[in-house]
Amino acid sequence: MARQPADSPRPLIVSAYLAFAAFGSFWGIWGASVPRVAEQSGLGAGQLGFALLFVGAGALPAMLLAGRALDRWGLRVASVAIGALGGVGAGLALTARDLVSLCIGLAFVGATSGAADVAINAVAGRAERSAGRPVITRAHGAFSSLVVLGSLATGWAAAAKLPLAVPFVAVAVASMVTGAATFLMLPERGIPDGYEDCGATNLADSHRWRIAPFVLIGVLGALAFASENAHQSWSAVFAETELHTGAGPSAVAPAVFAGTVALTRFAVGGVRPDMSRTVLLAGAAATAAGTVLIASAPTLFVAAAGLAVAAAGTAVLFPTLLAVVSRNVDEARRGRATSIVTTVSYLGFLLGPVYVGLWADAVGLRGAMLAVAALAIALFLLIPVLLRRSGFDGRAADTVAEASGSAAKHRG
């Protein structure tokens, strides 16, 4: 039986929540600042779209490298990445004056964000295993909540005609404070004392490192993220062009989506690990149903209801997938396992809005929403197949029960 790790779960849990909150603050501010960044840089829509590609270009290699860094130097990599992300964001706001400077800045933002994404998920994964209770989903809820708050705060700053750099500098200070605090709370060692065997799956054990199981889970995550970012990126456009709401009311759509995601993640954060497969299937089904409702919506109210259903569905998907992997991976490989799952999933995040755009050009936005529903249906059908093929199906409950029992003995 695996022995309980020596690192205390409380600092790990606090570090996970703080890191996700700082990460959400940054992306909330960025999302609301994109129009002002484009204006400051003197870019049109086409040039801005090109520049945004550099976020993904910087993120993908950094996400893969972050996994190796975590396994070599430990969880404190997350503290450095969070602090660096805030500083890089402030630098971008101060220096982005043309296309070239914006592309360079966004590449650095992508790299630090990608590394931070992998690292903070690894922290949450260690915290969940160490505590023997759910942490990852609620940490993602903290991220979503701060995205909403960061967006609102940035909107207020813009309305008050404060310089573009002000919210970025504020989040940079918060990120650096968070980085310093979590650096002190996180364990020094990469693998804590007491880990002899972490209940790795047969396909991901400590004797032969295979990436295939994590790629399969990443495929599920990519479908989940494609649906999520499709709605987040296109919901306001759908409301304005298909429902003729105007620019002001159309902003309700992404707010409804983000707010519902946050509330759902907090609400289901305590669901038992043995319900993971059920949660995933219910999430995929809700995503499909909500998206079909959006596609047929005659009014903004109906579309908002569909968005709420779809948001509740997508909210549980990636955190649950990551939790299933995290509870069952060998601790020596946690960083690399997290980076593979997160990187493959991130491809869906990048391609989801593009997927909608291509379908919208072909069949219109309502048809594109049906294409997004098709992604959710495919996810529903693939969940039992890929979970079983990856070797993670049916193991979560046993592993967590074992960890919980070890934790009780350790505390006793």
Side-chain angles (χ1 to χ4, degrees), residues 11-394:
L12 288 167
I13 294 171
V14 173
S15 296
Y17 289 150
L18 287 175
F20 271 91
F23 196 55
S25 297
F26 174 83
W27 282 111
I29 286 172
W30 166 253
S33 299
V34 170
R36 297 185 73 192
V37 170
E39 181 182 358
Q40 176 178 284
S41 303
L43 304 184
Q47 289 178 310
L48 177 62
F50 173 76
L52 291 174
L53 292 174
F54 282 79
V55 177
L60 290 171
M63 293 171 88
L64 292 172
L65 292 173
R68 293 187 173 273
L70 285 160
D71 289 339
R72 178 164 184 172
W73 292 301
L75 296 180
R76 285 181 169 179
V77 169
S79 305
V80 177
I82 282 293
L85 176 60
V88 167
L92 170 70
L94 292 167
T95 61
R97 302 291 174 178
D98 53 31
L99 178 61
V100 173
S101 59
L102 180 59
C103 288
I104 293 172
L106 287 176
F108 278 104
V109 165
T112 51
S113 173
D117 194 359
V118 171
I120 64 178
N121 276 299
V123 171
R126 171 83 68 82
E128 182 159 311
R129 181 168 183 87
S130 181
R133 63 178 185 270
V135 174
I136 294 174
T137 301
R138 286 177 176 166
H140 279 258
F143 165 82
S144 300
S145 299
L146 268 295
V147 167
V148 175
L149 294 177
S151 298
L152 293 175
T154 303
W156 174 85
K161 301 193 181 303
L162 296 178
L164 171 66
V166 168
F168 283 96
V169 170
V171 83
V173 172
S175 296
M176 291 176 184
V177 170
T178 297
T182 55
F183 189 88
L184 296 175
M185 286 188 285
L186 290 171
E188 292 185 36
R189 296 182 49 138
I191 304 175
D193 295 333
Y195 271 110
E196 291 179 345
D197 173 22
C198 291
T201 66
N202 293 331
L203 293 177
D205 58 45
S206 59
H207 301 294
R208 41 180 191 164
W209 170 243
R210 296 185 181 182
I211 69 170
F214 308 105
V215 172
L216 293 178
I217 298 300
V219 169
L220 296 177
L223 289 171
F225 267 149
S227 299
E228 180 176 336
N229 201 25
H231 286 302
Q232 190 68 61
S233 300
W234 282 92
S235 56
V237 178
F238 182 90
E240 190 167 349
T241 60
E242 296 295 325
L243 304 176
H244 312 292
T245 60
S250 69
V252 170
V256 167
F257 189 87
T260 305
V261 166
L263 291 173
T264 303
R265 285 173 173 168
F266 285 120
V268 305
V271 173
R272 298 194 320 270
D274 61 338
M275 297 292 292
S276 294
R277 178 170 167 170
T278 302
V279 169
L280 290 170
L281 291 171
T287 302
T291 307
V292 170
L293 182 59
I294 294 167
S296 59
T299 66
L300 180 60
F301 178 80
V302 176
L307 268 175
V309 174
T314 62
V316 301
L317 294 172
F318 181 70
T320 303
L321 288 167
L322 193 62
V324 169
V325 172
S326 183
R327 288 190 294 263
N328 293 285
V329 73
D330 188 284
E331 193 63 36
R333 321 283 190 188
R334 179 178 298 283
R336 277 167 285 182
T338 305
S339 72
I340 291 167
V341 173
T342 306
T343 302
V344 176
S345 299
Y346 186 68
L347 292 173
F349 184 86
L350 292 176
L351 296 176
V354 178
Y355 174 84
V356 174
L358 293 174
W359 276 104
D361 283 342
V363 296
L365 263 179
R366 290 186 184 271
M369 288 297 105
L370 292 177
V372 174
L375 289 180
I377 293 170
L379 176 61
F380 182 89
L381 296 174
L382 286 173
I383 283 169
V385 176
L386 296 190
L387 282 179
R388 184 172 60 254
R389 293 288 295 172
S390 68
F392 290 110
D393 191 24

